Amino acid sequence: MKVGLFGGTFNPIHLGHLRSAEEVCTAFMLDRIYFIPSASPPHKRTTDIAPAQHRYTMVERAVAVNPAFCASRIELDRAGPSFSIDTIRAFRARETLTSLAFLIGMDAFREIETWKDYLEIPGLCDLIVTSRPGVPTPPLDQLLPVALRPTFWYDPVRQRYQHESGHTLTLYTLNGLHISASSIRSNLRVGRPTPHQLPPVVADYIATHALYRAQEALSFES
Ligand code: ATP
């Protein structure tokens, strides 16, 4: 089974996330992509993060459109900050895998040096770095952290980096949708509509639970 892991805050999940996963799933012939909401994102400075259970439920409903997609509670069920390395190690231990790929947006990849044990990540899985629609994409060698460079070599035929472990690092340019969760939240806060940005099940869930409204306490009630 060829598995992809797509981690994020998903605050909330939107059509840009789904489109990106669909493109990667097809291009890399993955059998399954796990969407993994971060319970306690170590790197997000945002204060308006909806409770993890809400974000997970929205992901679960949104991914039902594609049989290759699956929501994972792994980071909700683990105490402490949600470090990707712990998630990758857990998947490697529990899955019957022929390959494991970690999907990461270009903006998140730029910050990978701040991640726990990031030097170990390319030794555990392939990395698929996706462009951010609407944002210029620099060459991958500029994105690759200095400390990782000696462990990779560029394969010009396959147009990807090869890690000393045998895993690969590919920069994948999405057709994608230029949507961001932060602009969705800004619009929701002031009651502006968010047309064609959210799956209808997610828009309904947000309305039902009054999420992302100005000056409202965000609490989870089932
Ligand atoms: P925010 O706008 O609040 O920063 P975000 O959508 O960028 O939210 P996450 O939910 O953590 O943040 O995103 C999960 C992953 O999805 C990240 O790797 C991010 O780069 C990627 N991503 C987010 N939006 C898009 C999009 N429109 N197209 C492709 N990838 C995206």
Side-chain angles (χ1 to χ4, degrees):
M1 160 108 60
K2 290 181 74 174
V3 168
L5 305 181
F6 188 18
T9 314
F10 300 123
N11 184 38
I13 187 167
H14 53 66
L15 293 175
H17 295 128
L18 291 169
R19 169 69 174 269
S20 154
E22 266 155 25
E23 286 187 40
V24 169
C25 197
T26 305
F28 291 82
M29 292 186 290
L30 301 179
D31 300 303
R32 183 169 299 165
I33 294 186
Y34 289 96
F35 287 66
I36 308 173
S38 173
S40 167
H43 298 106
K44 286 276 176 183
R45 284 173 285 275
T46 327
T47 48
D48 60 346
I49 297 186
Q53 183 59 49
H54 277 316
R55 290 182 287 109
Y56 172 79
T57 306
M58 290 188 277
V59 167
E60 194 178 36
R61 294 186 183 183
V63 301
V65 291
N66 188 325
F69 292 174
C70 206
S72 167
R73 291 187 59 87
I74 188 166
E75 295 190 355
L76 271 73
D77 294 341
R78 197 169 66 219
S82 304
F83 294 117
S84 297
I85 186 82
D86 298 331
T87 301
I88 294 167
R89 286 188 183 125
F91 268 91
R92 275 187 59 105
R94 83 170 193 203
E95 285 285 329
T96 320
L97 302 165
T98 50
S99 72
L100 183 67
F102 189 73
L103 282 57
I104 176 169
M106 194 180 70
D107 48 335
F109 187 68
R110 275 181 200 281
E111 297 180 358
I112 199 168
E113 280 169 296
T114 63
W115 292 17
K116 181 186 166 198
D117 297 342
Y118 77 100
L119 291 171
E120 288 181 37
I121 294 178
L124 296 173
C125 59
D126 294 329
L127 285 167
I128 300 171
V129 180
T130 49
S131 64
R132 191 72 194 246
V135 179
T137 309
L140 187 52
D141 56 356
Q142 282 178 25
L143 287 172
L144 197 58
V146 173
L148 277 175
R149 289 181 193 175
T151 64
F152 280 100
W153 59 274
Y154 188 65
D155 179 345
V157 177
R158 295 193 163 116
Q159 298 192 339
R160 64 186 190 193
Y161 278 84
Q162 199 74 43
H163 187 250
E164 58 192 11
S165 65
H167 290 121
T168 59
L169 167 63
T170 311
L171 177 60
Y172 185 72
T173 305
L174 297 168
N175 293 318
L177 295 170
H178 183 22
I179 297 176
S180 86
S182 41
S183 87
I184 290 174
R185 292 194 303 277
S186 314
N187 285 328
L188 291 169
R189 235 182 338 261
V190 294
R192 238 182 268 136
T194 56
H196 315 302
Q197 295 181 31
L198 292 167
V201 283
V202 172
D204 290 348
Y205 189 92
I206 289 171
T208 304
H209 294 272
L211 300 179
Y212 308 115
R213 287 195 185 161
Q215 289 152 2
E216 287 210 14
L218 294 172
S219 63
F220 180 70
E221 294 158 26
S222 53

